[in-house]
Amino acid sequence: MSVPILPTISTAFIALSAILVAIGWILIKQRKIEAHKKTMIAAAISALLFFIIYASRTVFIGNTAFGGPDNLKIYYTVFLVFHICLATTGAVFGIVTLLAGFKNNLVRHRKIGPITSVIWFFTAITGVAVYTLLYVLYKGGETTSVIKAILNS
């Protein structure tokens, strides 16, 4: 079985970001503030690398359609929309949480940090599930780039 390299790398980065968030959570519970800060920055960088690879692939290579059975496409699509909503929400919460931490607004940071973490865990889990459905369990469908779609080529 062959899997495409960019989606594999980007999915690894999103999984790594969730693992780092979990480690950061443990570190802050142990009152290791500097280690927590460094780990959460690494998690954010990992998530950003995911996004850069994902966005670049989407624009220049394209998105891959679901290649599984037709009777599962509606379920996959609903699941994908759920994942996209989670990812968008998680990204916004992540930015707000990071900024609160950097500005030393610890009341806000402590209030929304745990919520952000849970959203991010579900984002990562559903992201890995989308990857698995697209490239592991089923052969991916057609891939069309945004550029080709716009230029009709």
Side-chain angles (χ1 to χ4, degrees):
M1 170 179 50
S2 172
V3 293
I5 191 73
L6 289 178
T8 303
I9 293 169
S10 65
T11 301
F13 275 123
I14 210 62
L16 176 61
S17 74
I19 291 166
L20 289 169
V21 167
I23 292 168
W25 202 346
I26 292 166
L27 290 169
I28 202 60
K29 292 288 185 193
Q30 296 172 345
R31 299 265 188 233
K32 296 178 180 177
I33 295 168
E34 277 307 306
H36 166 77
K37 183 177 180 180
K38 288 176 183 174
T39 303
M40 293 311 221
I41 290 170
I45 291 168
S46 180
L48 182 61
L49 288 170
F50 156 80
F51 182 74
I52 290 167
I53 294 167
Y54 173 79
S56 298
R57 182 178 188 277
T58 297
V59 170
F60 297 110
I61 298 170
N63 282 326
T64 302
F66 180 65
D70 286 341
N71 65 324
L72 295 182
K73 281 185 182 178
I74 186 65
Y75 301 109
Y76 170 80
T77 302
V78 169
F79 186 76
L80 180 61
V81 169
F82 175 70
H83 167 70
I84 291 169
C85 291
L86 267 178
T88 303
T89 304
V92 171
F93 268 72
I95 291 166
V96 171
T97 304
L98 284 167
L99 290 175
F102 290 140
K103 292 178 180 179
N104 215 25
N105 183 346
L106 298 182
V107 171
R108 173 180 263 184
H109 186 76
R110 287 178 182 139
K111 183 176 182 179
I112 63 173
I115 297 165
T116 304
S117 297
V118 170
I119 293 170
W120 202 249
F121 295 141
F122 281 105
T123 297
I125 291 165
T126 58
V128 171
V130 166
Y131 170 85
T132 302
L133 288 167
L134 279 180
Y135 304 111
V136 178
L137 293 179
Y138 304 106
K139 185 178 180 211
E142 183 181 349
T143 300
T144 306
S145 76
V146 172
I147 302 266
K148 284 182 183 177
I150 290 170
L151 299 176
N152 283 330
S153 53

